[in-house]
Structure formats: structure tokens, C-alpha cells
Amino acid sequence: MSVFKRLIASATMATAIFATPALAQDDVRIALVVKALGIGFFEAAAEGAEEAAAELGNVEIIYTGPTDTTAEGQIEVINSLIAQNVDAIAISANDTDALVPALKRAMQRGITVISWDSGVAPEGRQLHLNPSSNALIGNMIIKLAADHLPEGGDVAVLSATTTSTNQNIWIEEMNKVIGDYPGINVVSTVYGDDLADKSYREATGLMQSFPDLDAIIAPTSVGIVAAAQAVVDAGKVGEVNVTGLGLPSEMAGAIESGASQSFAIWNPIDLGYSATMLAYELSQNGVEAAPGAEVPMGRMGTLTLDDNNEGAMADPFVYDASNIDQFKSIF
């Protein structure tokens, strides 16, 4: 069954869980909890989770999340999963700390908990899977803007939510290396809450507030598409370059129009695959998440954990006019 046919878009979080018939005794239920349903990045990650499940042979993927990017919505989803007594929860968090009490309850019930993409505080999970090194991502997003501004210029950041763990860390890492790019000036950071309409309005507001703006950096797959459309609609293609993190399938038009010169992303299919494999190893094979441990993740190799039980999957990859056609039909 296609993962897209299994998406749940219920009006209430209690019913946002994928309903399945009674499972065989040996089946393992792994819940892939995303920031919100209906986001292409997470749908691609769910494809990877299904790939891992098929490879493992005895895994049922529960793909779920709230209808908006709130901690409250994810907490309701987590509570429903606890009631179902799933084997593992792999979550991309809307808030670093707010989910901890609910996830602690899950672990107390014997449920394996890992975070991926956007992390949970260490006390609320057993390990965290970063899609790449935070430092590499932070450097990449500012480099993508600076590469097309040899004389320097004004750039702004369009992020997701104010509490989004990964976004905040990447922006922090970006600011650490801003001095490596002479003449680049970050004039503002705004938040679109990973909603297309709000992100569009925020991008439009940036161009109005800063008439000399040269680039918008959006380290979010929703925000980058919305910002590119805002640039096109404002007639500022060639004046404002939109870059950051996005999906080739969603950004191909922006590359073609010239609204974006380049952007980067890791493969979200690989990310969902890896998260599922890690959850399985911890919940079924007795693998312990501890500093220095190397946890198997199938075809993606192993995840080496640091002192915070975190590890990085792979380096981000840059997409531009030279390679976008090769990848736009994949994810």
C-alpha cells in the first residue's frame, strides 16, 4: 500500500493515528511522527520508512502527526501512541522541551523513543539522528547565499517556528561562521511556522522592509518554496536570490525561473529509512544508545553517537541548474 494512501488527516489528534487491523504477535509497530501532515519532505521520509519496513519484513509503519506544527498537537499524537502501546516512536519535534514529559511516559511504558530531523532534549529520547552535521548545514546555508554575492550584500532568514530545534541550531551555526563571508550582512530573521501562506507573507514583508535585500535563506522546505514564489510575484527575480534547504521536486520551478540559483538538502527518503532502522535496532535487537556506540542503519551504514547520543547521517548536497533535472522526479 502506498504511504500516501495511508496518510491520516483527521480533525482531531486522537484520531490522527493510522488504524490497522490486529497484527501478528511478532509484528513490530514503529510510529514515524512528523511535524505536520501534508508536507512533502515528511511524505518522502515516510517512503523511506516503508522501504526499511519492507526490508525488515516484520514492521508496520504508523505514519502520523498533527495537522499543524505545534507541540500541543504532537503531544496528543504521542499520548494516542502510548495508549496503543507501539514498539517505537521516531519523532521530528516541533519543540525541544515541551514533548519531553509525554515521551518520558512512553519510555516508562517500554516504548523506544528516538528523534530525527528536529531533536528532542536528551531526557526525552534515547538518541537523535541529525540529517547532517549541524555545523556543516549552518555553513552551507550562508555559503549558498554568499556564493552569488561576491561583493557582499544583505540577506535575511525565513525559518520555520521559533521553537523548531533544528532550524534554531542551524541558524546559530550559520551566525558562528558569518565572519568567513566578508560583506554578508544578515538583516532579519522571520518565521513562517512551516505554513506556505504565512511563509509567503513573511518573505513578501522582508522584500518590502528591506528594498536592497539580496537573498532570502530559508532552511525549511516549506519556506523556501513560498519565498521563491514571493520573489517571482514581486518581480524581483535576478534581484533577490532564494536559497536554503528544499526538495528538488518542489524547487525545480524556482531554479528554472531564476528565483533560486541553488539550494541544498539531504535525501529525506534516506532519513526516514535510517530513523526506522535505528528505532528497530534499539527496540528489537538490544542495541544500547550510548556515547561512542555505533548503531546499524541498514544500507546507510552506522550512526556513531556523540556524548549527547546524537549522530549525523550524511553531508547536505547542493542542487542547481546543472543537476536539478536528474533529481526532480525522485523526491
Side-chain angles (χ1 to χ4, degrees), residues 231-265:
V231 166
V232 170
D233 292 348
K236 295 220 170 192
V237 172
E239 297 178 45
V240 179
N241 175 39
V242 176
T243 190
L245 304 177
L247 298 177
S249 60
E250 297 178 348
M251 285 296 291
I255 293 290
E256 183 178 351
S257 72
S260 176
Q261 296 298 312
S262 61
F263 64 96
I265 198 66

mmCIF file of all heavy atoms in Angstrom, residues 231-265:
data_model
loop_
_atom_site.group_PDB
_atom_site.id
_atom_site.type_symbol
_atom_site.label_atom_id
_atom_site.label_comp_id
_atom_site.label_asym_id
_atom_site.label_seq_id
_atom_site.Cartn_x
_atom_site.Cartn_y
_atom_site.Cartn_z
ATOM 1 N N VAL A 231 9.181 35.980 -4.520
ATOM 2 C CA VAL A 231 10.137 36.730 -5.339
ATOM 3 C C VAL A 231 9.624 36.860 -6.776
ATOM 4 O O VAL A 231 9.696 37.932 -7.387
ATOM 5 C CB VAL A 231 11.520 36.046 -5.303
ATOM 6 C CG1 VAL A 231 12.432 36.594 -6.394
ATOM 7 C CG2 VAL A 231 12.160 36.244 -3.933
ATOM 8 N N VAL A 232 9.101 35.765 -7.314
ATOM 9 C CA VAL A 232 8.542 35.805 -8.674
ATOM 10 C C VAL A 232 7.392 36.806 -8.741
ATOM 11 O O VAL A 232 7.333 37.649 -9.637
ATOM 12 C CB VAL A 232 8.068 34.405 -9.109
ATOM 13 C CG1 VAL A 232 7.276 34.483 -10.411
ATOM 14 C CG2 VAL A 232 9.255 33.454 -9.259
ATOM 15 N N ASP A 233 6.470 36.717 -7.779
ATOM 16 C CA ASP A 233 5.295 37.587 -7.794
ATOM 17 C C ASP A 233 5.658 39.062 -7.588
ATOM 18 O O ASP A 233 4.949 39.947 -8.068
ATOM 19 C CB ASP A 233 4.299 37.142 -6.724
ATOM 20 C CG ASP A 233 3.669 35.794 -7.037
ATOM 21 O OD1 ASP A 233 3.836 35.324 -8.179
ATOM 22 O OD2 ASP A 233 3.034 35.206 -6.141
ATOM 23 N N ALA A 234 6.755 39.305 -6.873
ATOM 24 C CA ALA A 234 7.193 40.682 -6.634
ATOM 25 C C ALA A 234 8.014 41.234 -7.801
ATOM 26 O O ALA A 234 8.403 42.409 -7.786
ATOM 27 C CB ALA A 234 8.013 40.759 -5.348
ATOM 28 N N GLY A 235 8.259 40.416 -8.823
ATOM 29 C CA GLY A 235 9.060 40.848 -9.958
ATOM 30 C C GLY A 235 10.516 41.075 -9.608
ATOM 31 O O GLY A 235 11.187 41.903 -10.227
ATOM 32 N N LYS A 236 11.024 40.294 -8.621
ATOM 33 C CA LYS A 236 12.389 40.524 -8.155
ATOM 34 C C LYS A 236 13.345 39.377 -8.511
ATOM 35 O O LYS A 236 14.399 39.233 -7.896
ATOM 36 C CB LYS A 236 12.389 40.743 -6.639
ATOM 37 C CG LYS A 236 11.662 42.015 -6.217
ATOM 38 C CD LYS A 236 12.397 42.720 -5.100
ATOM 39 C CE LYS A 236 11.829 44.100 -4.847
ATOM 40 N NZ LYS A 236 12.690 44.904 -3.976
ATOM 41 N N VAL A 237 12.967 38.576 -9.511
ATOM 42 C CA VAL A 237 13.892 37.549 -9.987
ATOM 43 C C VAL A 237 15.136 38.238 -10.542
ATOM 44 O O VAL A 237 15.037 39.170 -11.342
ATOM 45 C CB VAL A 237 13.235 36.677 -11.072
ATOM 46 C CG1 VAL A 237 14.275 35.746 -11.703
ATOM 47 C CG2 VAL A 237 12.090 35.869 -10.476
ATOM 48 N N GLY A 238 16.292 37.782 -10.105
ATOM 49 C CA GLY A 238 17.539 38.418 -10.509
ATOM 50 C C GLY A 238 18.015 39.462 -9.527
ATOM 51 O O GLY A 238 19.183 39.860 -9.563
ATOM 52 N N GLU A 239 17.116 39.900 -8.641
ATOM 53 C CA GLU A 239 17.483 40.853 -7.594
ATOM 54 C C GLU A 239 17.610 40.157 -6.242
ATOM 55 O O GLU A 239 18.526 40.448 -5.474
ATOM 56 C CB GLU A 239 16.439 41.963 -7.493
ATOM 57 C CG GLU A 239 16.303 42.834 -8.733
ATOM 58 C CD GLU A 239 15.215 43.866 -8.570
ATOM 59 O OE1 GLU A 239 15.158 44.508 -7.500
ATOM 60 O OE2 GLU A 239 14.404 44.029 -9.503
ATOM 61 N N VAL A 240 16.655 39.281 -5.939
ATOM 62 C CA VAL A 240 16.651 38.555 -4.671
ATOM 63 C C VAL A 240 16.789 37.071 -4.967
ATOM 64 O O VAL A 240 15.931 36.477 -5.638
ATOM 65 C CB VAL A 240 15.364 38.818 -3.864
ATOM 66 C CG1 VAL A 240 15.391 38.025 -2.550
ATOM 67 C CG2 VAL A 240 15.190 40.312 -3.592
ATOM 68 N N ASN A 241 17.840 36.457 -4.482
ATOM 69 C CA ASN A 241 18.072 35.029 -4.668
ATOM 70 C C ASN A 241 17.555 34.259 -3.456
ATOM 71 O O ASN A 241 17.907 34.573 -2.321
ATOM 72 C CB ASN A 241 19.570 34.757 -4.849
ATOM 73 C CG ASN A 241 19.893 33.274 -4.936
ATOM 74 O OD1 ASN A 241 19.157 32.510 -5.540
ATOM 75 N ND2 ASN A 241 20.996 32.879 -4.330
ATOM 76 N N VAL A 242 16.728 33.258 -3.709
ATOM 77 C CA VAL A 242 16.199 32.425 -2.623
ATOM 78 C C VAL A 242 17.019 31.145 -2.546
ATOM 79 O O VAL A 242 17.210 30.458 -3.553
ATOM 80 C CB VAL A 242 14.713 32.080 -2.851
ATOM 81 C CG1 VAL A 242 14.225 31.123 -1.763
ATOM 82 C CG2 VAL A 242 13.873 33.354 -2.862
ATOM 83 N N THR A 243 17.512 30.833 -1.352
ATOM 84 C CA THR A 243 18.304 29.629 -1.172
ATOM 85 C C THR A 243 18.013 29.043 0.206
ATOM 86 O O THR A 243 17.184 29.541 0.953
ATOM 87 C CB THR A 243 19.799 29.932 -1.362
ATOM 88 O OG1 THR A 243 20.522 28.694 -1.400
ATOM 89 C CG2 THR A 243 20.340 30.820 -0.254
ATOM 90 N N GLY A 244 18.680 27.936 0.521
ATOM 91 C CA GLY A 244 18.451 27.255 1.801
ATOM 92 C C GLY A 244 18.296 25.776 1.593
ATOM 93 O O GLY A 244 19.056 25.158 0.825
ATOM 94 N N LEU A 245 17.292 25.179 2.235
ATOM 95 C CA LEU A 245 17.071 23.737 2.190
ATOM 96 C C LEU A 245 15.710 23.450 1.563
ATOM 97 O O LEU A 245 14.692 23.963 2.030
ATOM 98 C CB LEU A 245 17.131 23.143 3.597
ATOM 99 C CG LEU A 245 18.409 23.422 4.390
ATOM 100 C CD1 LEU A 245 18.300 22.828 5.794
ATOM 101 C CD2 LEU A 245 19.640 22.872 3.678
ATOM 102 N N GLY A 246 15.690 22.648 0.499
ATOM 103 C CA GLY A 246 14.429 22.353 -0.175
ATOM 104 C C GLY A 246 14.477 21.030 -0.901
ATOM 105 O O GLY A 246 15.529 20.378 -0.977
ATOM 106 N N LEU A 247 13.347 20.629 -1.460
ATOM 107 C CA LEU A 247 13.235 19.386 -2.204
ATOM 108 C C LEU A 247 13.369 19.653 -3.698
ATOM 109 O O LEU A 247 12.758 20.588 -4.219
ATOM 110 C CB LEU A 247 11.886 18.714 -1.937
ATOM 111 C CG LEU A 247 11.592 18.296 -0.501
ATOM 112 C CD1 LEU A 247 10.185 17.718 -0.406
ATOM 113 C CD2 LEU A 247 12.611 17.285 -0.016
ATOM 114 N N PRO A 248 14.145 18.854 -4.418
ATOM 115 C CA PRO A 248 14.280 19.058 -5.865
ATOM 116 C C PRO A 248 12.943 19.091 -6.596
ATOM 117 O O PRO A 248 12.748 19.905 -7.493
ATOM 118 C CB PRO A 248 15.134 17.856 -6.299
ATOM 119 C CG PRO A 248 15.937 17.521 -5.095
ATOM 120 C CD PRO A 248 15.018 17.775 -3.923
ATOM 121 N N SER A 249 12.019 18.210 -6.222
ATOM 122 C CA SER A 249 10.722 18.166 -6.906
ATOM 123 C C SER A 249 9.946 19.454 -6.726
ATOM 124 O O SER A 249 9.170 19.855 -7.600
ATOM 125 C CB SER A 249 9.894 16.984 -6.388
ATOM 126 O OG SER A 249 9.658 17.105 -4.989
ATOM 127 N N GLU A 250 10.120 20.115 -5.584
ATOM 128 C CA GLU A 250 9.382 21.334 -5.287
ATOM 129 C C GLU A 250 10.123 22.600 -5.717
ATOM 130 O O GLU A 250 9.504 23.656 -5.879
ATOM 131 C CB GLU A 250 9.075 21.402 -3.793
ATOM 132 C CG GLU A 250 8.176 20.283 -3.314
ATOM 133 C CD GLU A 250 7.905 20.307 -1.812
ATOM 134 O OE1 GLU A 250 8.596 21.052 -1.093
ATOM 135 O OE2 GLU A 250 7.002 19.579 -1.380
ATOM 136 N N MET A 251 11.436 22.501 -5.914
ATOM 137 C CA MET A 251 12.247 23.674 -6.236
ATOM 138 C C MET A 251 12.676 23.741 -7.701
ATOM 139 O O MET A 251 13.322 24.713 -8.125
ATOM 140 C CB MET A 251 13.486 23.705 -5.346
ATOM 141 C CG MET A 251 13.206 24.138 -3.916
ATOM 142 S SD MET A 251 12.604 25.838 -3.816
ATOM 143 C CE MET A 251 14.088 26.740 -4.281
ATOM 144 N N ALA A 252 12.312 22.751 -8.492
ATOM 145 C CA ALA A 252 12.724 22.745 -9.900
ATOM 146 C C ALA A 252 12.227 23.990 -10.624
ATOM 147 O O ALA A 252 12.954 24.599 -11.424
ATOM 148 C CB ALA A 252 12.216 21.480 -10.595
ATOM 149 N N GLY A 253 10.984 24.388 -10.349
ATOM 150 C CA GLY A 253 10.424 25.569 -10.993
ATOM 151 C C GLY A 253 11.157 26.836 -10.609
ATOM 152 O O GLY A 253 11.350 27.738 -11.439
ATOM 153 N N ALA A 254 11.584 26.922 -9.347
ATOM 154 C CA ALA A 254 12.311 28.105 -8.875
ATOM 155 C C ALA A 254 13.689 28.198 -9.520
ATOM 156 O O ALA A 254 14.162 29.293 -9.838
ATOM 157 C CB ALA A 254 12.436 28.068 -7.357
ATOM 158 N N ILE A 255 14.335 27.053 -9.727
ATOM 159 C CA ILE A 255 15.617 27.052 -10.424
ATOM 160 C C ILE A 255 15.414 27.486 -11.871
ATOM 161 O O ILE A 255 16.164 28.298 -12.414
ATOM 162 C CB ILE A 255 16.270 25.652 -10.370
ATOM 163 C CG1 ILE A 255 16.675 25.298 -8.926
ATOM 164 C CG2 ILE A 255 17.467 25.571 -11.309
ATOM 165 C CD1 ILE A 255 17.835 26.091 -8.370
ATOM 166 N N GLU A 256 14.377 26.961 -12.506
ATOM 167 C CA GLU A 256 14.098 27.305 -13.904
ATOM 168 C C GLU A 256 13.782 28.783 -14.070
ATOM 169 O O GLU A 256 14.224 29.429 -15.030
ATOM 170 C CB GLU A 256 12.938 26.453 -14.421
ATOM 171 C CG GLU A 256 12.617 26.684 -15.882
ATOM 172 C CD GLU A 256 11.496 25.794 -16.387
ATOM 173 O OE1 GLU A 256 11.081 24.880 -15.650
ATOM 174 O OE2 GLU A 256 11.027 26.021 -17.525
ATOM 175 N N SER A 257 13.012 29.342 -13.124
ATOM 176 C CA SER A 257 12.619 30.751 -13.229
ATOM 177 C C SER A 257 13.758 31.703 -12.882
ATOM 178 O O SER A 257 13.722 32.883 -13.240
ATOM 179 C CB SER A 257 11.433 31.041 -12.311
ATOM 180 O OG SER A 257 11.832 31.048 -10.941
ATOM 181 N N GLY A 258 14.755 31.196 -12.174
ATOM 182 C CA GLY A 258 15.847 32.042 -11.715
ATOM 183 C C GLY A 258 15.629 32.631 -10.342
ATOM 184 O O GLY A 258 16.486 33.369 -9.837
ATOM 185 N N ALA A 259 14.478 32.308 -9.703
ATOM 186 C CA ALA A 259 14.230 32.803 -8.347
ATOM 187 C C ALA A 259 15.220 32.212 -7.360
ATOM 188 O O ALA A 259 15.521 32.815 -6.325
ATOM 189 C CB ALA A 259 12.797 32.479 -7.915
ATOM 190 N N SER A 260 15.728 31.016 -7.676
ATOM 191 C CA SER A 260 16.767 30.379 -6.851
ATOM 192 C C SER A 260 17.918 29.960 -7.740
ATOM 193 O O SER A 260 17.717 29.342 -8.793
ATOM 194 C CB SER A 260 16.202 29.154 -6.126
ATOM 195 O OG SER A 260 17.220 28.480 -5.411
ATOM 196 N N GLN A 261 19.130 30.312 -7.324
ATOM 197 C CA GLN A 261 20.324 29.892 -8.043
ATOM 198 C C GLN A 261 20.785 28.503 -7.616
ATOM 199 O O GLN A 261 21.308 27.740 -8.425
ATOM 200 C CB GLN A 261 21.445 30.905 -7.814
ATOM 201 C CG GLN A 261 21.161 32.285 -8.366
ATOM 202 C CD GLN A 261 20.970 32.290 -9.866
ATOM 203 O OE1 GLN A 261 21.763 31.707 -10.601
ATOM 204 N NE2 GLN A 261 19.913 32.940 -10.318
ATOM 205 N N SER A 262 20.592 28.187 -6.350
ATOM 206 C CA SER A 262 20.993 26.889 -5.825
ATOM 207 C C SER A 262 20.383 26.703 -4.447
ATOM 208 O O SER A 262 19.991 27.666 -3.786
ATOM 209 C CB SER A 262 22.526 26.766 -5.746
ATOM 210 O OG SER A 262 23.057 27.751 -4.877
ATOM 211 N N PHE A 263 20.308 25.439 -4.017
ATOM 212 C CA PHE A 263 19.828 25.106 -2.678
ATOM 213 C C PHE A 263 20.417 23.753 -2.304
ATOM 214 O O PHE A 263 21.124 23.137 -3.118
ATOM 215 C CB PHE A 263 18.291 25.067 -2.638
ATOM 216 C CG PHE A 263 17.680 23.986 -3.497
ATOM 217 C CD1 PHE A 263 17.322 22.761 -2.965
ATOM 218 C CD2 PHE A 263 17.477 24.199 -4.858
ATOM 219 C CE1 PHE A 263 16.767 21.763 -3.756
ATOM 220 C CE2 PHE A 263 16.932 23.219 -5.666
ATOM 221 C CZ PHE A 263 16.577 21.989 -5.115
ATOM 222 N N ALA A 264 20.167 23.305 -1.105
ATOM 223 C CA ALA A 264 20.745 22.033 -0.653
ATOM 224 C C ALA A 264 19.711 21.229 0.125
ATOM 225 O O ALA A 264 18.705 21.774 0.598
ATOM 226 C CB ALA A 264 21.978 22.279 0.214
ATOM 227 N N ILE A 265 19.958 19.964 0.247
ATOM 228 C CA ILE A 265 19.122 19.080 1.081
ATOM 229 C C ILE A 265 19.818 17.718 1.133
ATOM 230 O O ILE A 265 20.624 17.380 0.267
ATOM 231 C CB ILE A 265 17.682 18.937 0.539
ATOM 232 C CG1 ILE A 265 16.705 18.395 1.601
ATOM 233 C CG2 ILE A 265 17.654 18.043 -0.683
ATOM 234 C CD1 ILE A 265 16.473 19.310 2.753
#
